[in-house]
Amino acid sequence: MTGIAYALATYLDANSSTLTAGTNLWVGRMQESPDLAVVVNEYAGDQPQFLMGPTALDSHRVEVAVRSSRDDYETGRALCEAIRALFDALPPGTYSGLSVLRVPPIDTVAALGPDRNERPRFTARFAPVVQR
């Protein structure tokens, strides 16, 4: 089964004119180049909610990290905000084989400080709900 980070990265690839999987969008680990880059990471979520019958709702946690060019704070922050808006507006449906009901943000965009090459970094976290 596909993981939620991969499913959301695939959604970003298809719905963002700025991001292309394997070029400036990755799952799990951000590459050193290009400067403007995004990584989607999955981490531990909440316990599943069991509904009547065999249906359960999994509450995942996903973090999106954005990096921009040195001295270009606004581009990176704007891209992180755009990703936040894309996920917040994601309609319920099947994405990469997962039945995603919603992808609400759990915080606002935050600056992480620069990387070792002085490139600004930002993050936003989400709580995707997946029906299984």
Side-chain angles (χ1 to χ4, degrees):
M1 176 185 282
T2 297
I4 189 66
Y6 177 82
L8 293 178
T10 301
Y11 178 80
L12 287 176
D13 182 40
N15 291 280
S16 170
S17 60
T18 306
L19 301 173
T20 304
T23 300
N24 64 351
L25 171 64
W26 296 277
V27 173
R29 182 176 179 272
M30 188 179 290
Q31 305 298 313
E32 283 299 315
S33 66
D35 286 337
L36 185 62
V38 172
V39 65
V40 181
N41 288 305
E42 184 175 358
Y43 60 99
D46 294 331
Q47 66 186 15
Q49 295 176 23
F50 294 96
L51 308 175
M52 299 192 76
T55 303
L57 300 179
D58 289 328
S59 183
H60 296 270
R61 293 291 185 268
V62 170
E63 179 179 53
V64 173
V66 175
R67 179 186 66 215
S68 59
S69 300
R70 188 177 181 153
D71 301 323
D72 192 5
Y73 186 95
E74 276 308 310
T75 298
R77 189 173 198 307
L79 179 55
C80 202
E81 288 285 359
I83 291 168
R84 190 172 186 264
L86 269 174
F87 284 166
D88 197 34
L90 182 139
T94 301
Y95 301 93
S96 300
L98 296 178
S99 177
V100 180
L101 301 181
R102 55 186 300 216
V103 185
I106 57 174
D107 57 10
T108 59
V109 170
L112 292 175
D115 70 0
R116 66 181 177 186
N117 294 318
E118 297 299 317
R119 297 175 292 192
R121 296 178 304 155
F122 304 89
T123 185
R125 296 179 303 158
F126 305 88
V129 178
V130 176
Q131 182 177 336
R132 61 177 164 97

